[in-house]
Amino acid sequence: MTSTVPRILIVGGGYAGFYTAWKLEKHLRKGEAEVTMVDPLPYMTYQPFLPEVAAGEIEPRHAVVGHRRHLKTTRVVAAKVTGIDHANKVATITPEMGEPWQEEYDQIVVTAGAVSRTFPIPGIAENAIGLKTIEEAVAIRDRLIKNFDLASNLPAGPERDRLLSVVVVGGGFAGIEVFAELRALASSLVKDYPTLTFDDTHFHLIEAMGRIMPEVSQKTSEWVLKSLAERGAFVHLDTQVKGAVDGNVELSTGEVIPTDLIVWTAGVMANPTVVRGGDLPVEERGRIRARADLRVGTPEEIIEGAWAAGDVAAVPDLSGGGVGGYCVPNAQHAVRQAKLLAKNITAVIRGELPREYVHKNLGAVAGLGLYNGVFQSGKFAMKGFFAWLAHRGYHGLAMPSWERKWRVIGDWLHNFFLGRDNVTLITVQNPRATFEEFAARPRPAAAEAPAEKPAIDPKSVAKDEGAAAVAPAEKDKKVAAKG
């Protein structure tokens, strides 16, 4: 029997997508609508925790929120949306295994998020790693610790320097946080390696602009630079990466930094698979054009039945604090837009009018390694230990569900009393290596033996020899008879 209730399709299960589904479950009455959420991953990643995951301060699984555990009535589909035909209100769903299918809907919510934005720089695609997923954060942590293991067995020289050099590209919040956290991790590792010293480690941050962290004041930015310098980290301002072939990071200044770990945090872009694969309007920066009430369209035109929020959407910032008149792509806006989005969709289903999104940025807070941080709200700035507490307090409370909050807080408490757990699990990235190395294998089939010569019958041999012996005598008789 065909359903007659409105069908809501949510594209993407990140901040905006997960929160939209989560809040719709609370706002909608039983049987009022059917909600489907499509995402290739089975969890939402709380991205502000990725630098701490990379530094080993938070267990990776505790920085994600399982879709199926926390969404009780939403239909969760592990697949990609590879096409949106809103004119006919149908989306193409492509699973990892099996055939694609067409999913019909009445309301579509595009919250596909963003991916790392890179440039065609030689070597970056082959050697760098981003910081948008939990897998990337874990790989960064494991690589750094593994490099310490390798370097500890080498004499001082270029190869050891390469293993102990880290380059982070991008001086925004993500870049500064992971740079500072990795610097702190390296400092804690040194004490466990008697053959290595603090001076053997080299950390470089590359920023194309003349300053870091544009979200904070110039004075606060300069304080962060000073703090990093005091911990032996180098920040290259007004500098671009020209190449990274074979791990040799070539800078616009002419300097070359050999490294085994390049972390790319220099910007993001709206998910191109979803944006380019549909017929919804897109603005000049490649984001879906949204109205202040989060419906797709412009102030003059509404695309009925289509909504967008989060990093994939260009949402007007009515508070006046945005960049170019739009909300900046961060978790603060994504979560709050999603909460309003759930209310607006519920209102439209009930024949009511949606409300516009208005949110003034509460400020910016960043962790700079254990017991150090920075907080900026308007002209007020806080630095050091209390800013670090504000950072953990804010994000600890912002983590969805109390179940996830307690897991993260538990990690912090364990590390406070027991210390950082500096163990690498890099072999997880190739879990069958040991098994394959020692696994017994069938022996190759024996080569076919050459065909044997037929057995020789002794009697035949004797007969043949006798015939050979008689033949000349018979020939002699014939010759004599003729003569």
Side-chain angles (χ1 to χ4, degrees), residues 149-391:
D149 288 334
L150 296 174
S152 65
N153 296 323
L154 296 176
E159 185 59 22
R160 193 170 80 171
D161 287 342
R162 183 182 69 85
L163 290 170
L164 298 178
S165 295
V166 176
V167 173
V168 176
V169 184
F173 258 63
I176 290 296
E177 285 193 294
V178 73
F179 184 63
E181 292 287 0
L182 291 178
R183 173 68 273 182
L185 171 59
S187 298
S188 73
L189 286 172
V190 168
K191 68 180 184 297
D192 297 326
Y193 295 86
T195 60
L196 303 177
T197 67
F198 178 88
D199 293 334
D200 291 327
T201 61
H202 314 284
F203 279 74
H204 299 267
L205 183 135
I206 316 302
E207 170 53 48
M209 297 176 59
R211 58 165 294 179
I212 60 172
M213 304 174 73
E215 300 90 344
V216 303
S217 68
Q218 181 70 35
K219 185 177 180 180
T220 301
S221 171
E222 292 172 354
W223 179 87
V224 173
L225 287 173
K226 181 180 178 181
S227 175
L228 292 172
E230 290 173 350
R231 286 182 281 169
F234 300 93
V235 178
H236 306 256
L237 299 178
D238 292 315
T239 305
Q240 297 177 337
V241 175
K242 294 297 184 181
V245 178
D246 297 328
N248 294 308
V249 179
E250 180 185 350
L251 306 182
S252 56
T253 58
E255 184 179 358
V256 176
I257 305 173
T259 178
D260 192 56
L261 181 55
I262 306 170
V263 183
W264 182 274
T265 66
V268 297
M269 64 179 180
N271 189 319
T273 302
V274 174
V275 172
R276 298 171 186 169
D279 57 356
L280 297 175
V282 178
E283 48 93 63
E284 57 274 6
R285 295 188 62 184
R287 298 174 296 179
I288 293 177
R289 191 178 296 278
R291 294 160 43 90
D293 59 12
L294 304 178
R295 287 184 285 188
V296 175
T298 64
E300 297 77 26
E301 181 185 7
I302 299 173
I303 307 297
E304 294 292 345
W307 308 77
D311 294 356
V312 78
V315 179
D317 189 342
L318 300 184
S319 72
V323 177
Y326 294 100
C327 296
V328 296
N330 62 21
Q332 190 176 144
H333 280 302
V335 170
R336 285 169 172 77
Q337 288 170 8
K339 292 178 178 179
L340 177 62
L341 185 52
K343 292 180 180 179
N344 281 353
I345 292 174
T346 303
V348 168
I349 289 175
R350 296 173 182 171
E352 303 170 3
L353 293 176
R355 294 189 294 111
E356 292 185 331
Y357 175 74
V358 181
H359 170 68
K360 186 174 182 180
N361 200 315
L362 298 177
V365 60
L368 303 175
L370 280 176
Y371 314 126
N372 196 19
V374 62
F375 171 76
Q376 179 92 42
S377 180
K379 294 183 179 180
F380 173 75
M382 186 165 51
K383 313 173 188 73
F385 177 73
F386 290 105
W388 175 79
L389 286 179
H391 168 263

Side-chain angles (χ1 to χ4, degrees), residues 453-468:
K453 295 182 179 180
I456 302 176
D457 186 351
K459 294 182 179 180
S460 299
V461 173
K463 183 178 180 181
D464 293 342
E465 290 177 347

Side-chain angles (χ1 to χ4, degrees), residues 93-118:
I93 312 296
T94 304
E96 186 174 350
M97 295 182 66
E99 296 297 321
W101 74 87
Q102 302 297 307
E103 184 83 15
E104 296 181 348
Y105 62 82
D106 298 296
Q107 304 280 339
I108 190 168
V109 180
V110 184
T111 53
V115 298
S116 295
R117 175 175 60 93
T118 59

